[in-house]
Amino acid sequence: MPPSTESAWRAPSLADGPRSKVIAPRYTVARAAHPPALESGWGSEDWQTVVPVVVDHFHPRSSAHRPLTEAKVLHSGEGLHVHFRVRDRYVRVTNVGFQAQVYKDSCAEFFVRPGGTAGYLNFEMNAGGSLLVSCIEDWTRTPEGFQRFRILEHQWNDRIPRVHNLPERIDPEMTHPVVWSLNYTIPWSLFIEMTGHGRPTAGDVWTGNFY
């Protein structure tokens, strides 16, 4: 995405349907002069000028526990770079490993649909850095989850570099206030593999959500 390209992050399941009545917020993903270091922090030189997204829209069925969650995104020749910061309490992580059920833990999620594709990718990562990724092609709900979806193969686990500041397992629950962060890179090759759509060009608009 060139610096001027805007990307509207909104719920992929509502993107084109008649239920989508709310004007979606827009977020410009800036181009990085060089890929940010995985270890670089929220206020580091790599990230300090990037405008954050604040997660402030909630599902009606969500719990009352709503920690302040922010995300920043950059793009480079390598891929999309995603950085989450969560000011939390009551943090627990028991699902460890690639494609584990991380959504049952303290977790931050990034759903993204490249422009012009039918499906979207979900990147769900718990506070311990374990990752769940799939491509949802038909999000009609079924007893198995969705009507049509593909799970990312295990070979991709080492090809999505990531850093987290908490242990990979937290049990018993951490009850004191804590700030946890996730920093990871999604390579363009993954988007090509799963959606057929790689690095965007000028004027492309992608849709998505942060949770």
Side-chain angles (χ1 to χ4, degrees), residues 29-53:
V29 179
R31 179 179 179 180
H34 55 82
L38 277 176
E39 296 78 12
S40 57
W42 189 261
S44 67
E45 183 177 353
D46 286 336
W47 291 101
Q48 63 183 353
T49 61
V50 181
V51 178
V53 173

Side-chain angles (χ1 to χ4, degrees), residues 184-210:
Y184 57 93
T185 296
I186 308 168
W188 298 125
S189 56
L190 187 153
F191 288 105
I192 294 172
E193 172 83 12
M194 300 299 285
T195 71
H197 194 296
R199 186 178 183 181
T201 57
D204 281 0
V205 175
W206 291 25
T207 57
N209 272 326
F210 298 92

Side-chain angles (χ1 to χ4, degrees), residues 91-109:
V91 175
R92 187 166 183 257
V93 176
T94 61
N95 293 277
V96 177
F98 188 59
Q99 301 295 29
Q101 295 178 321
V102 300
Y103 50 84
K104 295 182 177 181
D105 297 325
S106 300
C107 178
E109 304 178 9

